Amino acid sequence: AKKAAKKTKARVPASPETKITAKIDIGFGNILYLRGDGPGLSWEHGVPMDCSKSSVWSWTTTATAKAFTYKVLVNDVSWSVGEDFTAHAGKKNTADPEF
């Protein structure tokens, strides 16, 4: 008896990991947020970043293969000053925001 060939779904390759790290101490009890035109981001509502040390915040995505712009906010209210930051897909991007 012949065995039927096993059907496998074609895998869609994930985009490379894009990481944004912001290095700033914003004080205990505050949260750093991102807004922008990248995947899962908008200019209207921020996405909280993860705090790994008192002055190191990060956010990671594999949902894009192109560069995008973003801003960093404290408590999703206070915008960082200056130009928008650019995140390069598949790279580790570091921002040093000022408020």
Side-chain angles (χ1 to χ4, degrees):
K2 254 185 169 177
K3 285 191 174 184
K6 198 175 189 180
K7 287 187 178 181
T8 58
K9 285 187 175 180
R11 285 188 146 191
V12 177
S15 295
E17 186 173 89
T18 302
K19 184 173 186 174
I20 295 173
T21 301
K23 296 183 176 182
I24 187 168
D25 185 349
I26 58 170
F28 183 77
N30 294 303
I31 299 173
L32 215 54
Y33 284 76
L34 287 181
R35 291 191 192 190
D37 61 9
L41 301 178
S42 79
W43 290 109
E44 288 77 36
H45 301 284
V47 174
M49 298 180 78
D50 296 317
C51 184
S52 59
K53 295 181 184 172
S54 64
S55 60
V56 179
W57 298 81
S58 63
W59 179 82
T60 305
T61 185
T62 57
T64 188
K66 63 179 186 170
F68 59 91
T69 58
Y70 68 94
K71 283 290 249 193
V72 180
L73 295 84
V74 174
N75 297 326
D76 205 24
V77 175
S78 301
W79 294 76
S80 58
V81 296
E83 298 291 319
D84 294 346
F85 295 101
T86 300
H88 301 280
K91 306 282 185 198
K92 291 181 180 179
N93 302 271
T94 301
D96 292 307
E98 294 181 13
F99 293 91

